Amino acid sequence: GFSQEESQEDIFYPASDLEYIPAEADYELIEDRLSCIENEIPLNYHERVHAFVNYFAVKDREYTSLMIKRKNMYFPLFEKYLKKYGLPDELKYLAIVESGLNPKAVSSARAVGLWQFMSYTGRHYGLNNDWFIDDRMDPEQSTEAACKYLAQLYKMFGDWEFAISAYNTGPGNVRKAIRKSGYKKTFWEVYPYLYRETRSYLPQFIAIMYVLNYADEHNFQVEDMEYSMDYDPLLVKDHLHLETFASQLNVCLDDIKALNPSLRYDMVPETSKGYLLKIPADVKPLLDANRLAILDTAAKVGKQELEKMAKNSPGSTYGRDRVVYRVRSGDVLGRIAERYHVGVSDLRRWNNIRGSMIKVGQPLVIYVNSKGAPAPTSKPVIKTASNGMKMYVVQPGDTLWDISRKLSGVSIEEIKKLNSLTSNNIKPGQELIIGK
């Protein structure tokens, strides 16, 4: 025990005692420390928070040490975008709860990246993913998307505790909990009505923020801190075999991969848009001096193997056109899959659907084989406008893909360009320009 003259704070603990943490009696001490680091986001101390403080500071010190080791690699990036969007700096700790600061993290629900975006939510915020590249694993792009999403959630609720919870469970589920609580105003009043996983989310955020801010007080001694690598961007439009590219530059392949976590394979695919490949800054002079030879050599290796692997992989989007279909009354997955000549399992994979439940109005992403699929059998309804332009009249059930198949030689992109369409949404009876 302690004498009356001694407090837990005054006693010296040897550096080797890595398991020491003040006992349960220091609840008030930790509450006071939290108030010292509180800024825009309320850091209300609660029994649930206390339990997670003990978890991070005692039970899983190895995990917490890893977070301390990694934080300098990602926190400067988070701080940059949080500042850009006028958001509280404390939100950087949310990525620890989400992914353990692992840009390639994939959850059991198929949420991906540092900020754990689901496919649909990611696309809504500009994070595309296909067989080759997943923007959700790109630290820069995903951090900006997370900031946009968090800003929107705060605008919805006007309360950071609710906004943070909504990031985990979705705004609809938070509204439902508020409704079930009888429209209580504070987070801890609504807390019992949230889903179990979400009840742990804010307490974990507060606890990890506390432990990382007071790591010294809890005797964490972490060596070999990780920092981000200096890099230069290189726009790559042709196929590029990373191992060949790295060997020519005499750079470690793992360094190239670490700088480009959004690449799913050790190759950059050929695209018209191009991929911004990050390369270690110190090899830029060598690349500049031999650019054509190096890129040409790296472009000749592995392309056929990659294409073969892409074509034969389940859920592959290689060589397919992306269309969005909105579920209509009476639709079932099997019929939709049959109509677009794709597998039901692929439909599920592309849209993160576990069973067979779909809802009217639900958008489904479908990757269609434009070369192999036969055109729809219904006859196109075409008329000529007074200015001589040919017009197609949209029929019930039509999608842009259906129309492009009916009108051989007219692509989805051409239809969208001719009609200044910014999305794939069309309505029955709508007249689309299809040419002269």
Side-chain angles (χ1 to χ4, degrees), residues 181-252:
S181 76
Y183 296 95
K184 293 287 195 297
K185 300 293 183 186
T186 69
F187 171 80
W188 291 106
E189 288 175 314
V190 174
Y191 173 86
Y193 302 93
L194 291 164
Y195 287 132
R196 185 177 177 182
E197 180 192 338
T198 308
R199 289 202 297 268
S200 298
Y201 192 69
L202 183 72
Q204 283 186 67
F205 166 74
I206 296 172
I208 198 69
M209 183 175 168
Y210 164 80
V211 174
L212 262 65
N213 273 275
Y214 291 99
D216 289 346
E217 284 77 359
H218 290 276
N219 205 24
F220 281 97
Q221 299 172 28
V222 179
E223 297 177 353
D224 302 322
M225 299 287 283
E226 295 178 4
Y227 296 90
S228 59
M229 203 183 307
D230 289 335
Y231 67 85
D232 277 305
L234 172 69
L235 184 64
V236 178
K237 291 192 174 183
D238 295 323
H239 167 84
L240 189 80
H241 188 257
L242 286 188
E243 189 174 358
T244 304
F245 180 71
S247 67
Q248 290 179 100
L249 290 173
N250 196 27
V251 65
C252 178

Side-chain angles (χ1 to χ4, degrees), residues 30-49:
I30 296 175
E31 186 175 32
D32 181 63
R33 285 176 178 170
L34 270 177
S35 69
C36 295
I37 60 171
E38 183 175 284
N39 193 4
E40 288 184 61
I41 299 172
L43 301 179
N44 293 313
Y45 204 47
H46 183 274
E47 288 175 7
R48 197 84 179 103
V49 180

Side-chain angles (χ1 to χ4, degrees), residues 362-418:
Q362 179 180 346
L364 293 179
V365 174
I366 306 173
Y367 289 92
V368 296
N369 187 343
S370 55
K371 294 178 182 177
T377 54
S378 58
K379 191 176 178 181
V381 180
I382 299 171
K383 63 183 191 178
T384 305
S386 57
N387 61 1
M389 299 299 285
K390 285 185 179 179
M391 311 292 290
Y392 174 84
V393 182
V394 178
Q395 302 301 296
D398 266 347
T399 66
L400 286 181
W401 182 72
D402 293 329
I403 297 167
S404 74
R405 300 300 300 151
K406 290 177 186 178
L407 310 167
S408 90
V410 183
S411 69
I412 294 171
E413 289 307 314
E414 284 173 315
I415 296 170
K416 289 175 78 170
K417 191 173 180 181
L418 284 168

Side-chain angles (χ1 to χ4, degrees), residues 132-182:
F132 296 107
I133 297 169
D134 193 335
D135 291 340
R136 295 173 295 172
M137 293 186 181
D138 182 279
E140 195 117 5
Q141 292 185 68
S142 65
T143 298
E144 182 152 28
C147 289
K148 289 177 182 176
Y149 188 26
L150 285 162
Q152 186 180 26
L153 291 171
Y154 183 70
K155 193 174 180 181
M156 284 181 194
F157 293 99
D159 178 290
W160 274 117
E161 290 174 310
F162 285 133
I164 287 169
S165 299
Y167 190 90
N168 171 258
T169 192
N173 287 329
V174 172
R175 289 196 191 99
K176 189 192 297 182
I178 293 171
R179 190 169 63 249
K180 283 183 177 178
S181 76

Side-chain angles (χ1 to χ4, degrees), residues 4 18-19 40 75 87 105 120 124 153 176 207 226 314 352 360 375 382 413:
Q4 289 183 344
L18 296 178
E19 293 305 313
E40 288 184 61
F75 275 16
L87 299 174
Y120 175 74
H124 182 75
L153 291 171
K176 189 192 297 182
E226 295 178 4
N352 195 37
V360 173
I382 299 171
E413 289 307 314

